[in-house]
Amino acid sequence: MSTPFGMSKGMSELTFIHTSDLQLGMTRKFLSPEAQSRFDDARLRAVDKLGELARERGAEFIVVAGDVFEHNALEQRTLGRALEAFSRLPVPVYLLPGNHDPLVADSIFHRTEAVGNVTVLDSNEVVEVRPGVELVGAPLTAKYASEDLCARALRDLEPTDAIRVLVGHGQVEARTGEAAADLIDLANLEEKLASGVVDYVALGDTHSTRSLGTSGKVWFSGSPETTDFHDLTPGVTGGEVDSGNALVVRLNAGTANVEKVAVGTWVFEALHWDVTGAGDVDEILAQLRAYPDKERTVIKYAIVGTLGLEDTRRLEEGLAELEPVFASLRERTRLMDLHLEPGEDELADLPLTGFAADAMEELAGSAAAGDPVARDAVNLLFRLSREVSA
């Protein structure tokens, strides 16, 4: 999108890549060691993809707007691979310390100095990328900021004919709705954009791509590789609704064109299904089987409703067959509300008599009331009875 600028600027042109929240070294407790290894590799390959994108689009540099690393205590192997990935980039990369990797005494950024194409934005000092192009960083020097760091970075700057980019990390509004000293003042940023103090604001912290304000020049890039779930429960909008992207930013004569480019390969989704019978079971299994890259797909699900014996068996066997194929496929235990309620015909058709028939009837009643142990017992007795009669 292009937006008019509030004052005349020079004729300089600039193209660069805006990304954030790489969080190299991130672990996910629901991934097996094998899947975690592939997840680690994908996050490093995302760095390579940023370099490929920079080369394709003629970008002069890459800015990473905070949370480059998951924390300041990475294993040497993880850090070494990360620095190697940065060294392969075809353009310079500017890294901003965020809340996950703040610029403290033992900051991991003290160990990035050996990589020649890496510059840490470790202060509010203006960094000249080249004549006519400047960067201003708003780094975190503690895990929690005590003021609006973007406002502080711009406070003493005057309008300029150079193209100037602010790189910051943090939220513009509180998730709880309460005021906080560290919130970024969006209105202040828009004012600085309109007056020519800055030409674009590259933000990190939110992992989904998002444009802020009305100028079209304040953006969260989102994480280039998905880190958390997009909740697809009907009526619910939450989680990472648009992650796995990088932004190609073009600034020219007071206009900004921002292009979102997908670079991620992993999918995290939270699903919800209501079930009443065989057709619903078919739809659930068909939806899961349709995911194209299951080894890079993480699914957590909730199932609500009532099924008979045969439908429950088909559902559970289908899920058990798919579970090892996905990177992770698991129940949302606290949201599960699946009841087993055998039909009269199903019970009548079972080859059970006497004590076994009475036990099945009692267990079926408990399972219908929501007892998970009884549900498992009914399923087991159902399978055993079918095997005996086969």
Side-chain angles (χ1 to χ4, degrees):
M1 69 180 62
S2 297
T3 49
F5 199 75
M7 63 174 294
S8 176
K9 280 277 185 176
M11 294 305 292
S12 296
E13 298 181 6
L14 172 66
T15 299
F16 68 96
I17 306 300
H18 169 198
T19 186
S20 70
D21 300 278
L22 303 180
Q23 292 188 221
L24 300 172
M26 168 183 279
T27 59
R28 303 277 75 175
K29 63 182 180 181
F30 44 76
L31 293 178
S32 67
E34 181 268 339
Q36 178 66 52
S37 178
R38 286 186 284 107
F39 186 63
D40 293 340
D41 186 63
R43 306 197 74 71
L44 286 169
R45 285 189 288 110
V47 177
D48 292 330
K49 289 184 178 181
L50 294 172
E52 294 169 6
L53 184 61
R55 183 184 291 111
E56 291 171 1
R57 303 305 171 87
E60 296 187 36
F61 57 85
I62 298 167
V63 295
V64 185
D67 288 356
V68 183
F69 305 102
E70 176 68 356
H71 46 69
N72 276 322
L74 291 187
E75 294 180 358
Q76 185 56 44
R77 177 177 177 274
T78 302
L79 177 60
R81 293 184 69 195
L83 297 183
E84 183 69 16
F86 287 135
S87 72
R88 292 194 298 266
L89 291 173
V91 296
V93 57
Y94 295 85
L95 309 179
L96 182 80
N99 61 294
H100 274 259
D101 49 12
L103 196 63
V104 293
D106 64 343
S107 172
I108 198 167
F109 289 106
H110 298 317
R111 290 178 276 172
T112 64
E113 298 170 351
V115 183
N117 62 337
V118 171
T119 299
V120 179
L121 300 174
D122 56 5
S123 73
N124 299 148
E125 294 296 319
V126 174
V127 175
E128 185 179 68
V129 175
R130 63 166 169 82
V133 176
E134 300 175 348
L135 294 179
V136 180
L140 274 84
T141 56
K143 188 170 181 61
Y144 301 103
S146 59
E147 63 177 308
D148 178 349
L149 298 179
C150 288
R152 186 177 73 179
L154 298 179
R155 186 173 299 144
D156 298 326
L157 296 181
E158 298 293 333
T160 176
D161 285 335
I163 291 180
R164 182 183 287 159
V165 176
L166 171 67
V167 186
H169 189 87
Q171 291 297 310
V172 299
E173 55 189 18
R175 293 184 176 91
T176 62
E178 299 177 358
D182 64 331
L183 290 180
I184 297 170
D185 185 345
L186 180 58
N188 177 63
L189 294 181
E190 295 278 28
E191 180 183 336
K192 298 296 184 180
L193 287 162
S195 65
V197 171
V198 67
D199 298 275
Y200 180 84
V201 180
L203 293 178
D205 195 34
T206 289
H207 289 198
S208 296
T209 304
R210 181 183 172 194
S211 177
L212 305 172
T214 59
S215 67
K217 299 178 181 180
V218 184
W219 284 77
F220 282 117
S221 66
S223 173
E225 188 57 83
T226 299
T227 63
D228 211 342
F229 292 91
H230 180 188
D231 196 335
L232 297 177
T233 302
V236 175
T237 301
E240 290 190 16
V241 299
D242 190 17
S243 57
N245 306 309
L247 300 179
V248 179
V249 183
R250 297 181 179 87
L251 304 177
N252 179 23
T255 64
N257 182 282
V258 181
E259 178 189 1
K260 180 178 71 173
V261 180
V263 293
T265 59
W266 279 65
V267 173
F268 285 57
E269 291 185 347
L271 305 178
H272 174 97
W273 295 298
D274 291 301
V275 297
T276 58
D280 298 319
V281 173
D282 291 339
E283 288 184 11
I284 289 173
L285 297 179
Q287 182 178 348
L288 291 173
R289 288 169 181 149
Y291 279 93
D293 299 305
K294 298 178 183 63
E295 72 278 6
R296 295 193 298 271
T297 301
V298 178
I299 301 293
K300 62 180 181 179
Y301 61 86
I303 305 176
V304 175
T306 302
L307 293 174
L309 285 168
E310 179 62 24
D311 293 333
T312 298
R313 180 193 65 79
R314 286 200 309 114
L315 175 62
E316 293 183 347
E317 289 183 356
L319 291 172
E321 177 185 315
L322 287 165
E323 188 275 331
V325 182
F326 280 81
S328 177
L329 177 64
R330 61 191 176 91
E331 294 182 357
R332 305 175 76 179
T333 307
R334 66 182 179 84
L335 298 180
M336 287 288 290
D337 192 20
L338 179 61
H339 298 270
L340 176 64
E341 189 172 307
E344 292 183 4
D345 292 342
E346 286 183 312
L347 290 175
D349 289 342
L350 292 176
L352 299 174
T353 60
F355 173 77
D358 292 340
M360 174 61 93
E361 185 175 353
E362 182 178 347
L363 287 169
S366 298
D371 185 341
V373 176
R375 175 183 158 193
D376 292 341
V378 169
N379 281 328
L380 177 60
L381 189 55
F382 174 66
R383 286 194 293 270
L384 289 173
S385 67
R386 294 293 293 268
E387 290 172 4
V388 169
S389 64

